[in-house]
Amino acid sequence: MINYLIFAILFLILGILIFLLLGLKNKEAYEKGGKENLENKLNEVSNDINEIEIALASVTTPINELNRFLGGNVTTGRLGEWNLESIVQDIMPDSSYKFQDLINPESADRVDCAITTAEGFIVPIDSKFYAGQYQNYQSAGNDNDRKKVLRELRTAILRDAEDISAKYILQNKTTNYAILYIASEKLIDLVDKIPELRQECLTEKKTLIQGPNTLAAFLDTIRIGHHYLQLNETAEKVAEVVRRIKTQFDSFDKSTEAVTKRLEAS
């Protein structure tokens, strides 16, 4: 639909340019030097058309990407990954995260995001997007259908939590929990309608369920840890400089005292 609108606008502009061109042609034909002026106008029109084509090409690319997503060629899971990347990049220091990271060198599985804490442990974050269950819940006609959708969502989340935990929690390398990120507060509302689901995921699957808001708050606490670590490292460097200065002053005092004694003896 958007492509059709753009092409319609393009044809309208071309029609106006052709109309102006014909008017210029009739007018210039009766004037002295009209041929040269007409050629200049034709060149100008040609340049304008080229610029329009370039602008249209620059617009067509993102529109095609959008159409690919709406048409199903881009998975909703990838949409969740884009959302996760945006939140992490906005909050965390550049050196504290990696995307599509191979946490376990003995496995080919890559976690969507690996956050490194100030203590050096990795927090695995994997993104999931339950678009089908959300659509089914919205289209459900009665309470029984909605309860059925919530049961299906519960099963899917527990299965994914088990998979994330098994793949990405490693002793002495990662934290003792992972994060299942759901990139929609509307879906998080559905999760909260399922009793004990969050607690079951945490206690039995060692997986935290987080949406955009809770993930942002969680990452901010990790960022503060990095900030204090940097302050501590700076403080240690300053303390070391102070110790060196004190040592140099002590040596200077001893040297001065020795020189004073020699002068008094002479």
Side-chain angles (χ1 to χ4, degrees):
M1 182 66 184
I2 299 176
N3 282 337
Y4 293 148
L5 180 60
I6 293 177
F7 285 123
I9 294 173
L10 176 61
F11 286 133
L12 178 61
I13 294 174
L14 290 175
I16 294 173
L17 291 174
I18 292 172
F19 176 79
L20 295 174
L21 179 62
L22 292 175
L24 289 172
K25 182 177 179 181
N26 293 332
K27 182 178 179 180
E28 296 292 341
Y30 297 97
E31 296 180 0
K32 184 178 180 180
K35 182 178 180 180
E36 182 178 352
N37 291 333
L38 182 60
E39 290 179 352
N40 292 336
K41 295 296 182 181
L42 285 172
N43 290 333
E44 292 177 4
V45 171
S46 178
N47 291 335
D48 291 339
I49 292 175
N50 290 335
E51 291 178 0
I52 292 173
E53 290 177 347
I54 294 173
L56 180 62
S58 65
V59 172
T60 300
T61 298
I63 289 177
N64 288 338
E65 292 296 322
L66 177 61
N67 287 337
R68 284 178 58 240
F69 169 71
L70 296 176
N73 293 328
V74 175
T75 64
T76 52
R78 183 56 185 144
L79 180 64
E81 292 172 14
W82 288 336
N83 179 270
L84 171 61
E85 292 171 6
S86 176
I87 292 176
V88 171
Q89 289 171 341
D90 284 345
I91 296 175
M92 297 301 298
D94 290 341
S95 60
S96 65
Y97 60 85
K98 292 181 181 178
F99 297 122
Q100 299 303 316
D101 190 32
L102 191 65
I103 293 179
N104 187 355
E106 298 180 359
S107 170
D109 297 315
R110 293 181 180 271
V111 68
D112 290 336
C113 182
I115 301 291
T116 303
T117 67
E119 295 77 19
F121 290 102
I122 294 174
V123 181
I125 305 176
D126 216 45
S127 175
K128 303 295 179 183
F129 203 90
Y130 305 96
Q133 287 87 339
Y134 180 77
Q135 292 171 356
N136 292 339
Y137 187 86
Q138 295 300 313
S139 60
N142 54 62
D143 288 341
N144 288 333
D145 290 341
R146 283 188 282 272
K147 289 179 180 178
K148 179 182 178 182
V149 173
L150 291 179
R151 288 195 297 269
E152 293 173 352
L153 178 60
R154 179 181 183 277
T155 300
I157 289 177
L158 287 174
R159 182 180 62 247
D160 288 337
E162 175 71 25
D163 184 61
I164 291 171
S165 175
K167 286 180 179 178
Y168 304 125
I169 296 180
L170 302 175
Q171 188 174 8
N172 299 326
K173 185 171 184 180
T174 70
T175 51
N176 58 0
Y177 62 89
I179 293 176
L180 191 161
Y181 175 65
I182 301 176
S184 168
E185 291 297 335
K186 293 293 185 181
L187 275 169
I188 291 295
D189 289 341
L190 292 189
V191 170
D192 291 335
K193 293 179 183 293
I194 304 174
E196 306 298 328
L197 177 58
R198 287 179 180 270
Q199 186 65 25
E200 187 174 352
C201 279
L202 181 58
T203 56
E204 297 185 10
K205 312 299 182 182
K206 299 180 180 179
T207 302
L208 284 169
I209 299 175
Q210 293 190 341
N213 293 338
T214 51
L215 179 66
F218 174 80
L219 292 178
D220 199 47
T221 61
I222 298 179
R223 180 191 61 79
I224 292 173
H226 281 280
H227 177 67
Y228 280 118
L229 177 63
Q230 185 177 10
L231 287 178
N232 289 337
E233 291 175 349
T234 302
E236 290 176 1
K237 292 178 181 178
V238 171
E240 178 63 25
V241 171
V242 171
R243 283 193 293 269
R244 291 178 182 177
I245 293 174
K246 184 177 182 299
T247 301
Q248 292 175 358
F249 269 107
D250 289 343
S251 298
F252 177 76
D253 288 341
K254 291 179 181 178
S255 299
T256 303
E257 184 179 353
V259 170
T260 301
K261 290 181 178 179
R262 286 198 295 269
L263 289 175
E264 290 175 350
S266 61

